[in-house]
Amino acid sequence: MVEGTLKGGMLFKVYKQVADITEKVSNNKGSIQSLALSKTTEMKSVTFALCSEVQKYKSVIDHIIDESKFFSKNPKLKEDKPILRVIIYELLLGKNSESNESVKKLLGNYEKIKQNIFKQAKSYYSTWNSILVMLKIDKKAVSNEDLVEPTTTAEPIQIERFLRVNLLKTSIQDFLNTMTTEHNFIINKNKKEQREAGSKYLVKDEHINEIFVMYPHDAPVHNMPSVINSTCIVQDKASCMPAHVMFQTLPKLLQERNLNGNPVHIIDACAAPGNKTTHLAAKMSESDFGTKDLAVHAFDRDEKRIKILSDRVSEAGADSIVKVVHKDFSAVDPYDVQYKHVRAILLDPSCSGTGIVRQGGEKTVTQDRLNKLKNFQITLINHAMTFPNVECIVYSTCSIHEEENEQVVAEVAEKNSDLFRVEKCFPEWDYRGIDSASTNHVGPLCVRTTPEKHATNGFFVSCFVRIPGSQRERVTKSSHGPFKQPKVDKEINKEEEEEE
């Protein structure tokens, strides 16, 4: 119950927010977390908590509304049903609903609000309460919690298992031959093809050439020789998208700008544990840049994670391309001569990790944490844009929050509008970023994935491309002075990349 913390206009504003959000969630237009913690939401923590509770008790509340015949007697208020659910939850099911004094204060606050739906609460309270009591008796429920049916609890989301063919060690055809002859997999042409229980199947992904969906998703895979020797790598499709976007963009850019034949280096700015790094190396080995001078500079600042990164690079056979660097990317001098050939940067920094599917529900994150992460992410992208010869920057997160995604892209694009533009990436992907005026409509240029729609972890990918001509201006500036490391929030720790 929010009584005691909110009154009058602010009480109504929070209730209205909760009503709007829960209605969108019911119509599959977003999750409680992404909507309640968006930029435009006020009193985020209170709103999020109240949304969760109202949604949890939705079937109980609707039963009370129907039994009281509220809308039969008040037909003009039918459009206010979402906000009526909030009112009933607060009066009958909220934290302090069993305290007569608290309920009395809350009803007093309702009388001060002009909307008629609030004024009706006092006259209907006794009726609603009697219906709740009878429902408890009928269900033999000791507490309100006992009224929540198992069907109101969301089923665990099942994400698909993907295998990425490691093109540094094998070809797609050789991989398929191994999987069929040694591991008894059957190759399906598409996901709709019929599959028999007890058999194992592979289906080629419709977007990314080197990845396959495995059925059943829970089939043992980590003990297969092909996985142990890294000829294929267990990696979520969403996690494969940043490298895919980069190699949709970079070769075309270099050709258009007459840069083919020159050395091509890439930076993976926050590389550990290394699946994206080895994917970059594999894509690079398959691309024709007209040069043998190819390299991926893989940075990570954590001592333990750099060891994992080094091991994965070696296991994947990427040592000849990947240069592992134990260093904070923000401390790298962009004018250091060893990075003069860097043409692209992949930046997948610390984020809230709220897109990762977890047992037990969504990961919660405070607004303060989101703000710190956002500032950290913006600082790193701005730093990446100071590398004088970089043509393409791919920025990605495993977060569902607009603060870490579209807002970051919009702010960076505005600050660097003379140097970089936001490129529409992965144009064949139909699920785009959030489109809003507050982020200068960059959303449609970016891509998102969701567990519900794509059976992958929640992910966000965007791409910045240097504006032709701005490169020469930056390179000829010799008065940049000694390198100064940009200020970053040292409290930000690298999140575990559970999708890898």
Side-chain angles (χ1 to χ4, degrees), residues 1-7 11 96 105-106 109:
M1 184 176 288
V2 299
E3 187 276 319
T5 58
L6 303 175
K7 294 182 180 180
L11 181 73
N96 297 318
K105 286 182 180 179
L106 191 58
N109 275 331

Side-chain angles (χ1 to χ4, degrees), residues 132-197:
L132 177 63
V133 171
M134 291 303 297
L135 182 62
K136 281 185 175 181
I137 294 171
D138 183 50
K139 297 285 185 180
K140 298 180 180 180
V142 177
S143 66
N144 293 335
E145 285 278 347
D146 295 335
L147 294 173
V148 180
E149 298 288 343
T151 53
T152 64
T153 303
E155 291 292 326
I157 297 170
Q158 176 68 56
I159 66 171
E160 293 176 335
R161 174 170 281 173
F162 296 86
L163 299 179
R164 172 170 65 84
V165 182
N166 181 8
L167 299 175
L168 293 166
K169 285 193 167 186
T170 189
S171 67
I172 290 175
Q173 190 55 56
D174 286 346
F175 163 75
L176 293 177
N177 291 340
T178 300
M179 297 301 282
T180 53
T181 59
E182 296 182 20
H183 304 308
N184 301 317
F185 274 86
I186 300 168
I187 309 303
N188 277 176
K189 292 181 179 179
N190 57 64
K191 292 183 179 181
K192 295 181 180 179
E193 208 169 327
Q194 189 172 359
R195 293 182 290 273
E196 295 181 4

Side-chain angles (χ1 to χ4, degrees), residues 364-375:
T364 58
V365 58
T366 65
Q367 188 61 42
D368 180 60
R369 172 73 172 165
L370 279 179
N371 292 337
K372 286 183 176 180
L373 285 164
K374 175 184 174 182
N375 293 333

Side-chain angles (χ1 to χ4, degrees), residues 159-163 212-215 217-222 234:
I159 66 171
E160 293 176 335
R161 174 170 281 173
F162 296 86
L163 299 179
F212 290 79
V213 189
M214 189 183 79
Y215 296 95
H217 304 313
D218 58 354
V221 64
H222 288 89
V234 181

